[in-house]
Amino acid sequence: MTPSIEAIEFHGIAALRLNGPKGSVAIISKLGAQVLSWKTPDGRERLFLSERAVFDGSVAIRGGIPVCFPQFANTGDLPKHGFVRNREWTVNAERCGDDYALVTLELADDEATRALWPHSFLAELTLMLEADRIDIELSITNTGGAPFAFTGALHSYLRVTQVEDAAIEGLYGYDYRDAVNDDAERRETGTELVVESEVDRVYFDVKRPQLLKAGNLSLGIQSQGFPDVVVWNPWVERCAELKDMPVDGWRHMLCVEAAAVREPVQLPAGEEWYGRQTLVAV
């Protein structure tokens, strides 16, 4: 089947379905430019999307790959994780080849964004789907006359069968900030990170790719441009507090995010920055 792209409605919102080589499929919504589904040719869903996610724009969609910009989490005065994940983006480009399908969505500043954050910008989110991988690239252009700084992330919710049976390789020796323990800074001493309780960590300046070992849902994870890696799982108690998560949702997801958190990106007027995360089925 030749790769193609089609406009669809997904849970009542406008979206694009990328039909890739060998039967791979990805879905990205115009709301938030959020990747909501990625199925590899074996038919397995690789992203976690909460069955209780809200799609009316009142809150961010819980799951998939939300775009956090221009603020990660509560690191500044803006709404948590910024404001672009609740905004409607427009389609900028669609392309297909024999072995890929690609779409780019864009969002520019307007009166509403400038009321929150007084800067001119153009954000572009590009999703490329191949047989066994996706590349998600976020580019930010400073279209104004003065420099600005931002933090952000591709907040990837990865699907696992049971998070207790999963492990992440590639973080050994890196320093991290542990939000579960009063933002204490520590060094990772384990060759594998195993989730046995709530985890909310920012690993700094990570140079190596990661391997999510999760049985037949294992993934290779690599980023460019984003210096930090965030690992998050809410575990039992925190998950129960999230209205848009099922009670057992924590068990089936693990966020491994490409992020710029510790050192805000400094972007001069007229300049462009980009960061990318690649997920590969292994």
Side-chain angles (χ1 to χ4, degrees):
M1 195 168 106
T2 306
S4 63
I5 299 169
E6 55 187 317
I8 64 167
E9 193 174 275
F10 186 82
H11 289 276
I13 60 173
L16 297 166
R17 179 161 56 215
L18 286 68
N19 302 299
K22 299 183 179 179
S24 58
V25 178
I27 294 172
I28 184 169
S29 68
K30 292 184 180 180
L31 179 63
Q34 190 160 333
V35 184
L36 297 175
S37 174
W38 168 39
K39 290 183 180 177
T40 38
D42 57 14
R44 293 191 176 104
E45 176 59 65
R46 302 294 179 142
L47 302 179
F48 173 86
L49 182 64
S50 172
E51 62 196 47
R52 297 177 64 181
V54 178
F55 294 92
D56 62 7
S58 62
V59 295
I61 300 168
R62 174 74 67 185
I65 307 178
V67 179
C68 305
F69 173 86
Q71 176 181 294
F72 179 80
N74 297 312
T75 53
D77 299 328
L78 294 174
K80 186 176 182 181
H81 289 318
F83 47 74
V84 302
R85 60 186 185 153
N86 295 85
R87 307 274 304 176
E88 194 79 11
W89 296 49
T90 57
V91 178
N92 170 294
E94 300 179 30
R95 290 205 307 276
C96 293
D98 291 338
D99 55 0
Y100 74 93
L102 177 151
V103 63
T104 299
L105 283 75
E106 68 176 23
L107 177 73
D109 62 283
D110 59 19
E111 196 172 328
T113 69
R114 290 190 298 272
L116 290 168
W117 192 63
H119 300 290
S120 298
F121 69 91
L122 176 67
E124 292 184 307
L125 192 286
T126 299
L127 169 65
M128 184 166 77
L129 171 69
E130 297 177 63
D132 61 352
R133 66 185 263 170
I134 54 173
D135 287 280
I136 313 100
E137 181 177 296
L138 176 66
S139 79
I140 304 296
T141 303
N142 182 343
T143 55
F148 62 67
F150 67 88
T151 55
L154 296 172
H155 195 312
S156 304
Y157 286 75
L158 307 180
R159 177 168 285 281
V160 296
T161 303
Q162 286 199 140
V163 75
E164 309 99 300
D165 298 334
I168 303 172
E169 290 183 355
L171 297 171
Y172 173 77
Y174 289 110
D175 294 332
Y176 65 90
R177 187 172 71 217
D178 188 352
V180 175
N181 291 290
D182 298 319
D183 285 336
E185 290 207 10
R186 299 176 174 172
R187 179 159 293 178
E188 183 58 68
T189 57
T191 54
E192 293 183 341
L193 173 60
V194 179
V195 178
E196 299 172 309
S197 59
E198 182 184 354
V199 176
D200 191 352
R201 300 177 179 180
V202 181
Y203 288 84
F204 301 131
D205 204 21
V206 176
K207 306 293 188 190
R208 290 193 301 268
Q210 292 82 57
L211 173 63
L212 172 62
K213 297 165 70 175
N216 57 21
L217 293 175
S218 296
L219 292 174
I221 305 165
Q222 190 154 13
S223 60
Q224 290 176 276
F226 288 104
D228 304 324
V229 173
V230 175
V231 180
W232 180 64
N233 181 284
W235 207 248
V236 182
E237 295 83 5
R238 279 279 292 119
C239 186
E241 296 169 4
L242 300 172
K243 294 178 182 176
D244 55 359
M245 279 280 273
V247 172
D248 66 343
W250 62 272
R251 174 162 275 152
H252 306 300
M253 53 76 61
L254 183 61
C255 287
V256 183
E257 309 166 34
V261 179
R262 181 164 69 167
E263 298 291 338
V265 176
Q266 306 290 334
L267 196 59
E271 295 292 311
E272 180 184 9
W273 169 92
Y274 81 91
R276 176 188 300 142
Q277 185 181 58
T278 300
L279 303 174
V280 184
V282 294

